[in-house]
Amino acid sequence: MKCVLLAGGSGTRLAPLTDGFSKHLVRVGQRTLLEHALSDLEAGGVDEVCVVLGETGATAIREHLGESDRFDLDISYAVQGAARGVADAISHAEPFVGDEPFLVYLGDNLFGPSLEPFVRGFAATEDGVGLCLRRVDDPTRFGVPAFESGALRDIVEKPADPPSEYAVTGLYGFPPAVFDHIERLEPSDRGELEVTDAIRSLLDVGRSAHVHRFDGWWVDAGTPDGLLTANRRVLAASGGSGPAAATDAVGADADSGLGEGVRVRAPVSVGAGVEVGNGTELGPNVTLGADVVVGSEARISDSIVLSGATVADGTSVTRSIVAPGARVTSPLRDEVYR
């Protein structure tokens, strides 16, 4: 099975973190969002992936994945350039897809524990559309499926009066005929080619819909709240990692770079080359990227601190995301800091 993995977009919902930095390279736990997506796809039965890149972070993503021998996947690339919508991004992968049914995975989504039931179910369809749905508490924030006599009739974007209690997640299946439908789409009011319109166009000509009601967890990590939720989910599943992961009290350790009296409230993930000063408290739900420096008597909880960032002595960071290379010298709470 082939999959088109979308790793472009402008990341405006995560600004200023994404000013010149791709959200898909944000680390949650031991992996970036992009690596989590590739791992999920591999485990779900996908063997070929085309990563569609945007204007931001394209070179960094290629360098990050490299030869990608971490995955048993055949990985290629396509370039969308300027963000003109999900359907437009999909269209750039047409040479990769050829004449086979394929999946589309929005790279800022995370799923657990397995995509295999959806992949298997869609593979059994001949020429239909595949939708992965998840029951949510507040459907008004999402695209919501509308059903008629049990069959999918439409998708309504962020409805005030939701027709169902499900949201359309960032995982789809399409027949190759979708490219003809995308070619005929008109831009929406926000100037983009919408994937919802492409799905509606396929349904209008009688294509069937394979609807999978996903019973695992799903997070749209394209917002600060979503990214921190993804971090909690991933850390809870893995138990954390790195030299500080399995203990609540850590003493001086030359190999780990943890100072005396450092306390860890699991789960915590610590990247390579991290230095943590004496008496600092980490956790719960903290990811520290590679080469992060945390001063003495600092406090970090429910946060992501990305590679090369510094948190000064005595500084507290709570429910926040710190951009790569940033220096934090005053308390942060509920912030995206660059």
Side-chain angles (χ1 to χ4, degrees):
M1 176 68 70
K2 292 181 176 181
C3 181
V4 176
L5 174 58
L6 304 188
S10 55
T12 53
R13 296 183 298 168
L14 281 169
L17 175 68
T18 48
D19 294 345
F21 176 73
S22 172
K23 63 184 174 181
H24 304 286
L25 296 181
V26 172
R27 171 177 158 152
V28 286
Q30 283 292 92
R31 292 175 165 177
T32 62
L33 288 177
L34 192 58
E35 290 171 311
H36 282 292
L38 290 168
S39 179
D40 288 348
L41 291 170
E42 180 182 7
V46 170
D47 48 24
E48 295 182 63
V49 175
C50 178
V51 182
V52 179
L53 305 170
E55 291 184 321
T56 301
T59 299
I61 287 173
R62 287 179 184 266
E63 291 175 350
H64 179 70
L65 292 180
E67 296 300 320
S68 212
D69 53 6
R70 290 162 289 176
F71 304 101
D72 188 18
L73 293 167
D74 182 1
I75 299 176
S76 58
Y77 298 91
V79 178
Q80 178 188 22
R84 295 187 59 242
V86 170
D88 178 70
I90 294 169
S91 72
H92 290 271
E94 184 173 5
F96 161 79
V97 169
D99 59 358
E100 303 176 36
F102 65 103
L103 304 177
V104 171
Y105 188 122
L106 305 190
D108 56 4
N109 281 224
L110 285 181
F111 298 84
S114 175
L115 303 179
E116 194 271 338
F118 173 79
V119 176
R120 185 179 64 247
F122 174 68
T125 66
E126 292 189 2
D127 60 359
V129 178
L131 292 181
C132 184
L133 309 180
R134 180 68 172 85
R135 183 181 282 110
V136 294
D137 293 332
D138 182 12
T140 62
R141 298 170 48 222
F142 304 98
V144 179
F147 298 95
E148 189 174 279
S149 301
L152 180 69
R153 174 174 53 84
D154 197 6
I155 299 172
V156 186
E157 287 294 334
K158 299 180 180 179
D161 184 17
S164 73
E165 58 186 342
Y166 288 91
V168 178
T169 72
L171 180 63
Y172 309 88
F174 289 108
V178 72
F179 295 111
D180 293 333
H181 290 260
I182 292 174
E183 191 173 350
R184 295 193 293 268
L185 292 181
E186 294 293 332
S188 65
D189 290 343
R190 57 180 185 168
E192 298 186 352
L193 300 185
E194 307 288 354
V195 68
T196 302
D197 290 338
I199 294 169
R200 189 176 292 118
S201 178
L202 286 163
L203 295 176
D204 286 346
V205 297
R207 297 278 181 166
S208 62
H210 165 69
V211 174
H212 176 74
R213 290 169 173 82
F214 189 67
D215 59 5
W217 59 264
W218 162 64
V219 179
D220 173 2
T223 66
D225 284 345
L227 196 52
L228 291 174
T229 299
N231 192 52
R232 293 182 209 110
R233 289 283 195 177
V234 168
L235 290 175
S238 66
S241 54
T247 180
D248 289 331
V250 180
D253 186 329
D255 293 332
S256 66
L258 301 179
E260 296 181 356
V262 171
R263 293 191 60 82
V264 176
R265 299 170 59 200
V268 170
S269 177
V270 178
V274 169
E275 297 287 338
V276 180
N278 299 341
T280 282
E281 182 173 307
L282 301 176
N285 302 314
V286 169
T287 290
L288 301 182
D291 303 317
V292 164
V293 176
V294 182
S296 300
E297 304 296 332
R299 300 290 182 269
I300 305 177
S301 64
D302 200 16
S303 296
I304 300 171
V305 183
L306 294 171
S307 60
T310 299
V311 178
D313 293 350
T315 303
S316 65
V317 177
T318 306
R319 293 193 304 275
S320 294
I321 304 165
V322 179
R327 180 172 176 80
V328 182
T329 58
S330 57
L332 294 181
R333 178 180 290 269
D334 300 315
E335 288 192 48
V336 176
Y337 184 81
R338 188 172 182 82

